[in-house]
Amino acid sequence: MSEREWVSEPDDYVCTLSKETQEIAKEELREDANSRKQALEAVREWIKKNPKIANCRLDSRFLLKFLRFKKYSVLQAQEALERYVLLRQTFGIAFNHFDIRIPMMEELTDLGYLFACPKRDSKGRRVIIARPGVFDLFKFTNADMCRIHGIVYETLMEDEENQVRGYVHFADGQGVGFPYLTLFTIKEAVRIVKNGEKTLPMRHKEVHVINAHPSMKFALDFGISLVSEKIKKRLYFYTSKEEMLKSDIIETDVLPKEYGGEMPMAEMIGKFLYK
């Protein structure tokens, strides 16, 4: 029987993280040179023997996403990786063909639907901006929505600094109303929320939401009921930009100028698209 071919082959990991980030990884994730080497070897052997995984990346940068996500619990990292592969297979085209140059993806990014601020916060975390109200329900589909999220998240997850330090999410609900609930069935919505926490290898550190329309309260309450207590404690809701600015919880200097920061949103989007 011939050797299977993989999307990427195993490599010898070379750590390029700063000393400070390595210290965070050790303190928060139990990562050091020895635990990293042993865990990578264990996960690669498991993948090669797993009949549910027909093909997969075996390079360190990819596998470390899952190990860091699960604080080096090899078993939990394997479970998350298996769910991740299943997710990519199940949703087909929506979670494949990740190319920001696809015209519809470029258009959604230019609109400011989803992008990351170029400046990290004081804890070194990337801040992801989401503005679902600019999503035109008559022009774009739920597959387009899934794909743009996939493009943005997969891009950010390739950065090892992000894998260790995690993410802050900032969402503006302005313009989102009842019709948006038709984008996904309840079953699909449940799966998306749960996968967002349990499957995508992202360390969600804070989630900030402003301008949530009252008509969406029951939908938000339903979504919140699906996440863990850990994530619930990291959720912050503001009725307006003014309330957010007064709260002093989120570092507004990192945000676009339109939300109290220094750099205009259009400039941030340009840096994210074309850096």
Side-chain angles (χ1 to χ4, degrees):
M1 183 177 177
S2 61
E3 285 287 324
R4 292 163 67 185
E5 292 187 7
W6 301 95
V7 177
S8 63
E9 294 297 324
D11 59 343
D12 293 323
Y13 178 75
V14 177
C15 184
T16 59
L17 295 171
S18 67
K19 185 177 179 181
E20 181 186 359
T21 305
Q22 288 183 56
E23 289 173 354
I24 292 172
K26 186 171 185 178
E27 182 180 343
E28 296 185 9
L29 310 178
R30 303 190 289 264
E31 176 179 334
D32 56 28
N34 186 52
S35 64
R36 186 168 54 228
K37 183 173 186 243
Q38 290 186 1
L40 283 170
E41 289 175 356
V43 173
R44 283 176 178 137
E45 284 305 305
W46 170 80
I47 290 171
K48 291 176 182 178
K49 295 175 182 177
N50 191 333
K52 295 181 181 178
I53 300 178
N55 207 343
C56 186
R57 285 171 59 181
L58 296 180
D59 60 279
S60 301
R61 186 184 295 265
F62 175 74
L63 299 180
L64 283 171
K65 289 190 292 192
F66 298 92
L67 288 166
R68 288 165 174 159
F69 176 48
K70 291 302 182 181
K71 298 184 178 181
Y72 276 79
S73 166
V74 172
L75 180 59
Q76 289 183 26
Q78 290 170 345
E79 291 173 348
L81 175 54
E82 191 170 272
R83 288 196 301 266
Y84 171 87
V85 172
L86 178 61
L87 176 72
R88 293 285 297 267
Q89 292 172 340
T90 302
F91 281 87
I93 192 169
F95 277 93
N96 289 289
H97 306 290
F98 285 163
D99 189 346
I100 197 66
R101 295 167 298 181
I102 297 171
M104 283 187 137
M105 299 298 102
E106 275 194 322
E107 184 175 351
L108 276 170
T109 309
D110 283 336
L111 287 168
Y113 172 73
L114 191 70
F115 63 95
C117 301
K119 181 182 175 183
R120 296 178 182 273
D121 71 4
S122 62
K123 295 181 180 178
R125 306 173 299 194
R126 288 301 293 272
V127 179
I128 303 172
I129 307 293
R131 300 171 65 239
V134 303
F135 191 90
D136 189 336
L137 298 175
F138 299 99
K139 188 171 188 178
F140 304 108
T141 67
N142 58 7
D144 294 325
M145 182 177 280
C146 290
R147 183 183 284 177
I148 192 65
H149 279 267
I151 290 170
V152 172
Y153 295 158
E154 289 290 342
T155 300
L156 294 171
M157 287 190 294
E158 283 297 295
D159 187 328
E160 288 192 82
E161 195 83 9
N162 298 339
Q163 293 176 11
V164 173
R165 292 181 181 264
Y167 307 86
V168 172
H169 300 270
F170 175 85
D172 182 357
Q174 186 71 44
V176 176
F178 193 79
Y180 283 75
L181 298 178
T182 63
L183 269 169
F184 298 96
T185 66
I186 291 178
K187 184 178 180 180
E188 289 171 335
V190 169
R191 190 168 188 181
I192 288 169
V193 171
K194 289 191 173 181
N195 279 322
E197 179 180 358
K198 300 180 182 300
T199 302
L200 288 182
M202 301 175 72
R203 303 188 68 213
H204 307 298
K205 307 302 284 187
E206 293 176 12
V207 181
H208 300 265
V209 181
I210 68 169
N211 299 324
H213 196 276
S215 68
M216 299 297 290
K217 185 181 184 304
F218 76 95
L220 280 171
D221 289 344
F222 176 67
I224 292 170
S225 72
L226 300 174
V227 301
S228 67
E229 288 301 317
K230 178 181 74 175
I231 295 295
K232 286 176 184 175
K233 292 176 182 177
R234 298 175 182 180
L235 288 168
Y236 302 91
F237 290 89
Y238 315 93
T239 56
S240 65
K241 183 175 78 172
E242 290 70 30
E243 183 187 346
M244 176 193 72
L245 294 173
K246 289 178 182 177
S247 71
D248 201 30
I249 299 174
I250 189 170
E251 297 174 25
T252 52
D253 63 304
V254 181
L255 300 178
K257 188 174 182 179
E258 291 82 349
Y259 297 103
E262 301 166 359
M263 186 183 295
M265 190 186 309
E267 187 177 343
M268 283 191 174
I269 292 168
K271 286 181 177 292
F272 182 68
L273 268 176
Y274 307 113
K275 67 177 180 180

